[in-house]
Amino acid sequence: MGNHHRQGARLRGLLRGSSRKLGTPQIMLSAVILVVLAVFVVVPVIRIVVDTFVWQSGDVRLSREAQPGAFTLFHWGRVFHSPLTPHLLTTPLVNSILVGVATSALSLALGGLLAWFVVRTDMPFRRATGALAVVPYMIPSYSLALAWLTLFKNQRIGGTAGLFQYLTGIAPPDWVAYGFLPTVVVLSLHYYPFVFLLISNALTSVDMSLEESAEVLGAPRSLVLRRITLPVVLPAVLSGFILTFSRAIGTFGTPYFLGSPVRFFTLPTMIYSNIGMRFNSTANVLVLVLILFSSILVFVSQKVVGVRRSFVTISGKGFRRKPVQLGKWRYLALAISATVVLLAAVLPLILLFWQSVMEYAGTYSFSNFTSAFWLAPAGTRLTEGEPGLLRNPEILRAAWNSVRLSATAALVAAVLGSLIGYVVVKGRGTLVSKTIEQVSFLPYLIPSIAFGAIYLNVFIREWGPIPSLYGTFLLLVLTCVFRNLPFATRSGVSTMMQVSGELEEAAQTFGAGWFYRFRRVVFPLTIRGMIAGFSLVFMTTMRELSLIILLVTPQTRTLTTMTMRYQEQGFVQFANAITVILVVISVIGVWAMRKLGGQSQSGGD
Amino acid sequence: MRVKSIGSLILAFLIAGWVVGLAGGQKIDEATRAWLEQVKVGPYLEPTLYELALTEREVTIYSYSSRVHQFGATFEARYPGIKVNAFDMDSGEILTKVLAEQRAGKFSADVIFLKDPAAVIAELYEPGYVFNYIPPDIKHLLPAEYREPLLVHHISLDVFIYNTEVYESSPIKNIWDLTRPEWQGKFLMPDPLVTTEYIEVLATIVQHAADMATAYEEAFGESLVLSPGVENAGYEWIKRVLQNGAVIVRSTDDVSNAVGAPGQVHPPVGLTAFSRLRDKEKNPQLAFDVAYGVKPVLGVEHQVVVAVVNRAPHPNAAKLLIQWMMGDDYGGWGYAPYHVFGNWPTRVDVLAPSGVPALAELAYWNTDAEFVWDEYGKIVDFWTLNR
C-alpha cells in the first residue's frame, strides 16, 4: 500500500473543490461506448423483440395459420392469454423469482461473511480460505447438484439411495432431495463467489481508519459494522446481489436437474425447452419477461442505494490495515469458512477427480482404480481406443482454445468494463450514464443459448461497415465479452464509486492530459476491480458451452465442447477429467491475474 | 502409413497404364486425341468421385453425433488429401445453423447428419435447403422407405426397460400397466420437451390410437373410457401416465441408471434408448434389459438421416463422405462407429451386430415424419397442460 501513501503525501491538501463536470474525453468516451453497445447489445435485443411478432418456420407445428415471416400476435397470446399461461409463464415465473431471491440472500450471507473473515479479521488460514473461496464458481453447478443427489437422493427417482439414507436408514423427504431447497443451496454454493469477490475487493480498498476512529470514539463493534463497514461496501453488496439474482433466475441446468423429478419447473426450463423445440418466438417472449423482471430489480436497487449516496473510500490519504481481533470467535469463523469451502469446492473436486480414475463408472473402490482416462496410450481397449486426455493432442488444442478465448474475452471485458464504470460514475445522474449502465447489463439477462442464436443470426451477414463475422474467432470473443460484460461493468462501477474524484482532479490541476490521468491515476487505483471483473469473465468463459456451440468451428472447439462429446458416448470418466482440467486452468488463470495485479499495483504510482 | 503406400501403388499403376496407353504403338493424330478425351476412351478415363473430390480438398459436416470424429478420421485415411471439418452439436442446433446460413447466403456446410427427420423434411428439404443423395453403388441395397425423401443412415429404437436383478422377466406386460396404482411414481422417462426425440415417440403412440385402445382392453378387460376433452387412446395414455406420477428426468442415461442400479427393492421401469444397453459394458453393475414382449409394442423407431446441403462448397467430397458413412460398396470402415448395439443399419446386406435381435423379430412402431410434424405442437401443448 506504499503507493497510496506516497500519493497521499503528494496530493494531500491540494485542490478539493474543483467542479465536477464532464470533460471532453469523457463525452467522447461515452459516445464511443454508446455506439459499441448499440451494435452489440441493442440491435440483438431489438432482434429478440421483433422475432416475437413474426411467425418462424417451425411454428407451423403450433398453428395451422402460421405463415413463416408474417406478422402475428400469436406468441404473446400463447404466453399471456391461453390455457397454457399458468404452465408456461405464471408458475415457472413465481418459482424462478423465489429461487432468485432465496439464492441471492444466501449467497450474500455466505459471500459477505467469508469476505469479511478473510479481509478483515485475524481468522487463521485466511489466505487459503481466500484462494479456495472462488473455486466453487469454477466447478459446474451440475457437479454440485450431482453431489447433492449422491448425499440426499431417495427412492423417488429409482437407483440406489443416497449416502444419508444408507448411513441413517431414514429416507430424506422429497422436499430435501429435490425441488426448491436443494436448488437454492446448490446455486448459492455456486454463485456466492460473485459476492465474495466483489465485497472482499471493496473491503480491501476501504480505509480502515474510518472504523478505527469509530471504535476509538467508543462505538460497539456491531454498530461500527452496521453504520460504517456495511454502508461503504454497499455498492459491492448491491452489485453482488444483482449478479446473483439475475443469474439464479436465468439458470437452467441445476434447477431443472434437481426440480424435474418433482415437476418443479422454472422460467429458464420453459425458455430452454422452447428453444430446443425451435419455438424461438415463444422462447423470446419468455426471455423478455425475464429481462423485464431483472431490469425492474436493477432499477429498484439503483434507487435504493442511489449513486449519490456512495462513499468515497479510496482517497488521497494513505491508510494502514489492522485486522479485527475475533478472539475465541476465530475458530467459529474458521469452522464456518471451512464448511463452506469444503462442501462447495474441495468435496466436488475430489468426487470429480475420483470419478475420472474409475475403471467402471460408479464403483467407488480402490480395486476399480485406473489411470487410463488420463494417461493411456491410443488403442487402449478400456477407452475404446481413445488416448488418455494428457496424451490426446486434440484435448491439448481444445485446452489452448479455451484459454485463448477466455483470456482474450476477459481482458477485453475488463478494460471495457472499467471504462464503462468510469463514464457511469463520472457522469452519474445524467441520462447517458443511466443508459449505459442499464444497456450494458441487458445481455446478462438473456439465456446463453438464446444469446448465441441471436449473435449467429445477426452477425452472419455483412452489416454496414461490419463484415460477416461468422466463423471467426473474433465473433466468439465478442459473444463472450458482451454476454459477460456485466461482471466487468459491475465491478468497474463499484470500484470507481470508491475512488475519490480529488485524485484525478489533482492530476488535472497539474496539467495532466486525460489519457495520462486515466493511465497513471484512475487505472492503478481501480486495478483490483478490473481483476475481479477479469476473473469472473475468465471463469465463466472457461465453462461456456451453449453460448458458443452455434458459433464454434472445428478449429476453435473448446474443452467444454469436448465434455459434451464424451458424455454422449457414456464416458463419464473422460467428461469428469476434462472438468478437472477446466477447474485447474481456471485456478491458474485467476491466481496468475492476482499476482500480475499485485505487481502492477505496487509499481504503478 | 500403409494407406499412403497403397495410394501411391494405385497412382503408380495409373501412371503405368497411361504410359502404356500412349506408348502402346498406336498412331494417334491430334483430332483423334481430342475425340478420345471428349468421350473418355483409350488413355482418358472418367474422373472418379475421389479425383473430383481431391480438387475440393475438404468437406464440412454438421453431425448430431460425436462419432463423426471417428468416421472422419477413417475417411481421411482412406482418401488422403481430403480434410474433414467435423462439427458436432444437437440436431436442433444443426437446423438453426443451416437455416441461418441458407437465409444469409453463407454456404459453408456440405453434409448434415441428424435426427428429427420430420423437421429436416419440413424446414430444410421442402424449402430446398438440403437435397437427397443416394450413393449409386449401394442404391439396390437400400429398401425404398429408407431412400426417400432423405437417405436414412441407420435407425434406433426407444424402448421400455426393467431391472433384471429384481425381476426375472418384465414386470409390465402391457404399457397400460404403467397407469396402475402399483406403478405410481415408478415410471421414468426423459422429458420430451428437453430430449425432443421423445415427442416423436409420443406422437407415434398417438398415431396408433386404435392399437392403444385395443391394448387397453387386453390389459383391463373392458373398453377404454376417454377423459373429457381427450381426443383418443394415445393421448389418454399420456394423460394417465402423467397422472400416475411418472418421473420426468433429463436424459436417457438418467433413466437407464435409475432402472438398472443394483440393490433396489422396488425398482422402477423406464422408457429410454435401446442403445443404453451398451452402458452395461462400461458399468457391469447395471442390471436392466429391454421389455421385449410388452404389448402393444416394445417401442418406437426413430431415424437418423443424412443429406447434402444446398450450394455445398464441396459437393463431390460431400458425396464421397456420404458413400463412406454408408459403408461404401465394399463394406469400408465408415459405418463401423454406428455398427453397435441399439442401432440397426438400413442396408440389407449389413447385419446388426451379434447379439442384437433382427428388426424383423421385434414388434415396434415406425415413426411417420409427416404425422410427427403435424401433431408436434398438439403433443407439446398436451404434455405441458397435463404434466
Side-chain angles (χ1 to χ4, degrees):
Chain A
M1 291 301 117
N3 62 316
H4 282 306
H5 196 79
R6 281 199 305 271
Q7 259 165 355
R10 242 183 284 153
L11 299 173
R12 190 174 306 156
L14 286 173
L15 268 175
R16 281 164 194 276
S18 73
S19 62
R20 181 182 289 138
K21 58 173 185 264
L22 289 178
T24 328
Q26 267 122 282
I27 294 172
M28 296 264 289
L29 188 58
S30 304
V32 171
I33 287 172
L34 278 174
V35 170
V36 168
L37 290 179
V39 172
F40 291 101
V41 178
V42 177
V43 167
V45 171
I46 289 175
R47 179 72 188 243
I48 296 186
V49 177
V50 171
D51 273 358
T52 61
F53 292 106
V54 177
W55 287 114
Q56 310 293 319
S57 65
D59 291 339
V60 192
R61 296 169 294 170
L62 283 177
S63 165
R64 299 277 174 270
E65 287 146 42
Q67 306 233 320
F71 172 85
T72 178
L73 289 172
F74 174 85
H75 304 106
W76 289 90
R78 179 171 153 84
V79 171
F80 279 95
H81 188 68
S82 83
L84 290 172
T85 303
H87 305 270
L88 211 53
L89 178 70
T90 337
T91 316
L93 179 63
V94 169
N95 287 345
S96 280
I97 291 175
L98 289 178
V99 166
V101 169
T103 301
S104 30
L106 191 52
S107 300
L108 278 181
L110 289 177
L113 209 55
L114 255 62
W116 189 68
F117 287 159
V118 167
V119 177
R120 276 313 174 79
T121 68
D122 60 345
M123 180 185 84
F125 300 109
R126 286 195 311 276
R127 287 177 72 93
T129 312
L132 282 171
V134 288
V135 172
Y137 183 60
M138 303 172 188
I139 303 169
S141 63
Y142 186 79
S143 316
L144 206 54
L146 268 176
W148 181 276
L149 284 187
T150 312
L151 287 176
F152 293 114
K153 88 196 262 280
N154 58 24
Q155 290 289 294
R156 179 172 177 83
I157 56 168
T160 26
L163 208 57
F164 181 83
Q165 189 172 349
Y166 177 77
L167 294 175
T168 64
I170 305 162
D174 278 355
W175 62 270
V176 171
Y178 320 101
F180 179 76
L181 178 83
T183 303
V184 167
V185 174
V186 167
L187 287 183
S188 303
L189 287 177
H190 183 64
Y191 288 130
Y192 83 82
F194 292 174
V195 181
F196 175 83
L197 268 178
L198 293 172
I199 294 189
S200 60
N201 169 30
L203 281 174
T204 312
S205 320
V206 171
D207 186 347
M208 228 166 185
S209 59
L210 295 171
E211 287 154 316
E212 278 165 16
S213 342
E215 274 182 54
V216 168
L217 293 171
R221 190 168 293 162
S222 62
L223 188 72
V224 175
L225 200 64
R226 207 171 67 240
R227 298 301 292 270
I228 297 182
T229 316
L230 212 57
V232 291
V233 296
L234 205 56
V237 171
L238 177 74
S239 294
F241 173 74
I242 290 174
L243 287 178
T244 318
F245 180 84
S246 310
R247 251 315 119 94
I249 68 166
T251 189
F252 166 69
T254 295
Y256 180 78
F257 184 67
L258 291 169
S260 62
V262 288
R263 300 190 195 168
F264 176 82
F265 296 115
T266 59
L267 205 55
T269 315
M270 301 321 295
I271 292 172
Y272 270 78
S273 57
N274 275 288
I275 290 173
M277 298 183 286
R278 282 169 320 96
F279 295 135
N280 286 17
S281 295
T282 306
N284 284 349
V285 173
L286 297 172
V287 168
L288 290 175
V289 172
L290 202 62
I291 291 182
L292 181 75
F293 269 84
S294 298
S295 303
I296 293 173
L297 175 94
V298 175
F299 183 76
V300 168
S301 42
Q302 272 174 347
K303 284 278 162 212
V304 171
V305 173
V307 230
R308 263 159 278 110
R309 275 190 50 218
S310 70
F311 296 83
V312 169
T313 52
I314 304 180
S315 63
K317 305 163 197 68
F319 62 82
R320 231 166 11 90
R321 197 176 297 128
K322 201 179 97 209
V324 175
Q325 306 292 324
L326 285 178
K328 60 181 189 292
W329 297 107
R330 305 164 62 201
Y331 297 101
L332 179 69
L334 182 63
I336 294 172
S337 312
T339 312
V340 172
V341 164
L342 284 179
L343 273 182
V346 180
L347 190 71
L349 260 184
I350 290 175
L351 275 176
L352 275 172
F353 181 73
W354 195 348
Q355 284 161 353
S356 73
V357 293
M358 286 181 178
E359 187 168 345
Y360 297 116
T363 307
Y364 295 82
S365 74
F366 284 105
S367 57
N368 192 34
F369 172 85
T370 177
S371 62
F373 294 96
W374 288 94
L375 300 169
T380 305
R381 205 191 67 81
L382 177 67
T383 57
E384 291 182 7
E386 296 256 359
L389 290 191
L390 298 182
R391 285 178 186 248
N392 187 340
E394 230 185 312
I395 291 288
L396 301 179
R397 201 162 41 233
W400 167 236
N401 278 336
S402 287
V403 171
R404 197 162 63 114
L405 176 62
S406 308
T408 317
L411 197 64
V412 174
V415 172
L416 194 55
S418 233
L419 292 175
I420 290 179
Y422 179 77
V423 298
V424 163
V425 173
K426 286 284 158 183
R428 61 180 82 156
T430 64
L431 184 66
V432 174
S433 158
K434 278 181 193 158
T435 312
I436 290 178
E437 188 171 11
Q438 296 272 11
V439 167
S440 67
F441 196 72
L442 281 178
Y444 189 74
L445 309 172
I446 303 170
S448 47
I449 178 94
F451 196 78
I454 293 162
Y455 263 49
L456 167 71
N457 278 299
V458 170
F459 294 105
I460 195 169
R461 290 165 212 265
E462 293 79 17
W463 203 71
I466 303 167
S468 164
L469 298 174
Y470 187 53
T472 62
F473 183 69
L474 179 65
L475 183 56
L476 285 183
V477 172
L478 290 171
T479 314
C480 295
V481 165
F482 284 96
R483 157 87 171 141
N484 297 314
L485 190 57
F487 285 129
T489 49
R490 289 320 305 182
S491 47
V493 169
S494 25
T495 324
M496 287 293 177
M497 277 207 271
Q498 291 183 324
V499 176
S500 164
E502 70 189 20
L503 295 175
E504 198 191 342
E505 282 152 16
Q508 196 169 9
T509 321
F510 284 123
W514 183 84
F515 280 103
Y516 185 84
R517 266 151 40 213
F518 196 86
R519 193 162 54 85
R520 300 303 293 260
V521 179
V522 181
F523 178 80
L525 289 175
T526 55
I527 186 100
R528 249 174 222 291
M530 285 179 73
I531 291 168
F534 178 96
S535 307
L536 283 168
V537 178
F538 184 82
M539 293 186 285
T540 311
T541 310
M542 280 305 288
R543 294 191 292 105
E544 211 65 84
L545 178 61
S546 44
L547 178 64
I548 54 173
I549 187 77
L550 287 170
L551 306 170
V552 289
T553 61
Q555 292 76 37
T556 55
R557 4 180 354 118
T558 57
L559 269 182
T560 34
T561 62
M562 307 288 285
T563 358
M564 193 176 71
R565 180 204 298 198
Y566 288 123
Q567 233 142 22
E568 184 204 318
Q569 291 177 359
F571 278 130
V572 273
Q573 297 95 329
F574 273 137
N576 286 324
I578 292 181
T579 310
V580 172
I581 295 178
L582 279 171
V583 175
V584 169
I585 294 177
S586 295
V587 170
I588 294 172
V590 170
W591 174 81
M593 203 56 204
R594 295 208 147 180
K595 284 276 162 205
L596 216 65
Q599 275 170 11
S600 72
Q601 196 168 30
S602 47
D605 66 332
Chain B
M1 293 292 98
R2 219 174 70 229
V3 176
K4 233 181 197 167
S5 59
I6 291 174
S8 42
L9 201 65
I10 293 170
L11 200 65
F13 268 111
L14 284 177
I15 293 169
W18 181 72
V19 171
V20 170
L22 276 193
Q26 286 180 298
K27 287 180 182 169
I28 301 172
D29 60 19
E30 187 53 30
T32 311
R33 197 203 58 78
W35 177 80
L36 285 172
E37 187 172 10
Q38 192 194 341
V39 299
K40 302 284 187 286
V41 168
Y44 300 100
L45 295 173
E46 293 278 2
T48 62
L49 200 50
Y50 177 35
E51 283 162 348
L52 292 171
L54 260 182
T55 64
E56 296 166 356
R57 306 171 76 93
E58 57 181 350
V59 56
T60 300
I61 174 171
Y62 296 175
S63 160
Y64 83 102
S65 152
S66 58
R67 276 172 273 172
V68 63
H69 301 287
Q70 294 173 23
F71 70 74
T74 56
F75 178 87
E76 286 176 349
R78 171 69 180 79
Y79 297 111
I82 308 174
K83 190 175 169 301
V84 178
N85 302 317
F87 291 66
D88 57 301
M89 54 195 142
D90 289 350
S91 296
E93 288 162 351
I94 295 175
L95 269 146
T96 304
K97 207 167 159 83
V98 173
L99 278 172
E101 288 177 0
Q102 292 288 319
R103 285 169 185 164
K106 290 271 171 293
F107 305 111
S108 35
D110 296 306
V111 177
I112 56 165
F113 178 44
L114 70 175
K115 298 183 194 179
D116 199 0
V120 179
I121 290 166
E123 289 190 78
L124 296 181
Y125 177 77
E126 283 171 5
Y129 294 152
V130 302
F131 295 95
N132 196 14
Y133 175 72
I134 314 280
D137 291 345
I138 58 162
K139 186 173 180 182
H140 63 287
L141 298 169
L142 290 161
E145 74 254 39
Y146 296 137
R147 291 199 308 247
E148 300 293 333
L150 290 175
L151 176 61
V152 179
H153 180 265
H154 67 268
I155 70 164
S156 30
L157 294 178
D158 290 300
V159 292
F160 294 89
I161 60 164
Y162 66 97
N163 181 296
T164 49
E165 192 184 57
V166 172
Y167 302 108
E168 271 184 21
S169 64
S170 171
I172 57 160
K173 308 295 175 213
N174 186 310
I175 66 173
W176 283 100
D177 288 344
L178 299 172
T179 65
R180 293 180 195 272
E182 60 260 42
W183 292 102
Q184 189 179 5
K186 288 286 170 193
F187 170 58
L188 277 80
M189 67 172 284
D191 190 341
L193 305 191
V194 172
T195 307
T196 49
E197 70 204 57
Y198 286 86
I199 295 175
E200 288 179 69
V201 175
L202 297 178
T204 307
I205 289 173
V206 166
Q207 191 179 13
H208 292 82
D211 298 318
M212 289 297 290
T214 317
Y216 181 87
E217 283 181 39
E218 282 176 31
F220 288 89
E222 56 184 36
S223 57
L224 174 67
V225 181
L226 297 177
S227 308
V230 174
E231 204 176 303
N232 61 42
Y235 280 113
E236 187 68 31
W237 182 82
I238 298 174
K239 188 183 178 75
R240 293 197 190 181
V241 162
L242 282 171
Q243 268 172 358
N244 206 29
V247 179
I248 303 161
V249 292
R250 183 172 185 158
S251 57
T252 54
D253 58 324
D254 292 334
V255 175
S256 51
N257 289 334
V259 173
Q264 301 189 67
V265 182
H266 189 176
V269 293
L271 174 62
T272 191
F274 194 106
S275 55
R276 291 259 75 101
L277 281 175
R278 259 186 293 154
D279 293 354
K280 294 203 285 187
E281 287 169 28
K282 297 193 178 93
N283 185 359
Q285 288 192 319
L286 285 175
F288 67 94
D289 203 355
V290 175
Y292 285 104
V294 75
K295 297 285 175 201
V297 286
L298 90 161
V300 173
E301 160 232 53
H302 65 250
Q303 304 182 339
V304 174
V305 293
V306 56
V308 176
V309 179
N310 174 41
R311 315 279 182 91
H314 316 104
N316 292 297
K319 292 197 254 181
L320 193 63
L321 180 61
I322 292 178
Q323 182 181 310
W324 182 247
M325 288 164 69
M326 292 304 292
D328 65 27
D329 50 344
Y330 9 74
W333 284 100
Y335 184 76
Y338 297 91
H339 197 250
V340 293
F341 216 80
N343 290 340
W344 284 268
T346 48
R347 284 174 61 155
V348 292
D349 61 329
V350 180
L351 298 176
S354 63
V356 184
L359 272 184
E361 293 165 21
L362 301 175
Y364 65 93
W365 283 329
N366 290 99
T367 44
D368 173 346
E370 203 177 324
F371 185 85
V372 171
W373 181 253
D374 288 340
E375 204 72 8
Y376 202 100
K378 258 167 82 182
I379 302 271
V380 169
D381 287 357
F382 188 83
W383 177 274
T384 310
L385 281 172
N386 285 285
R387 74 173 182 194

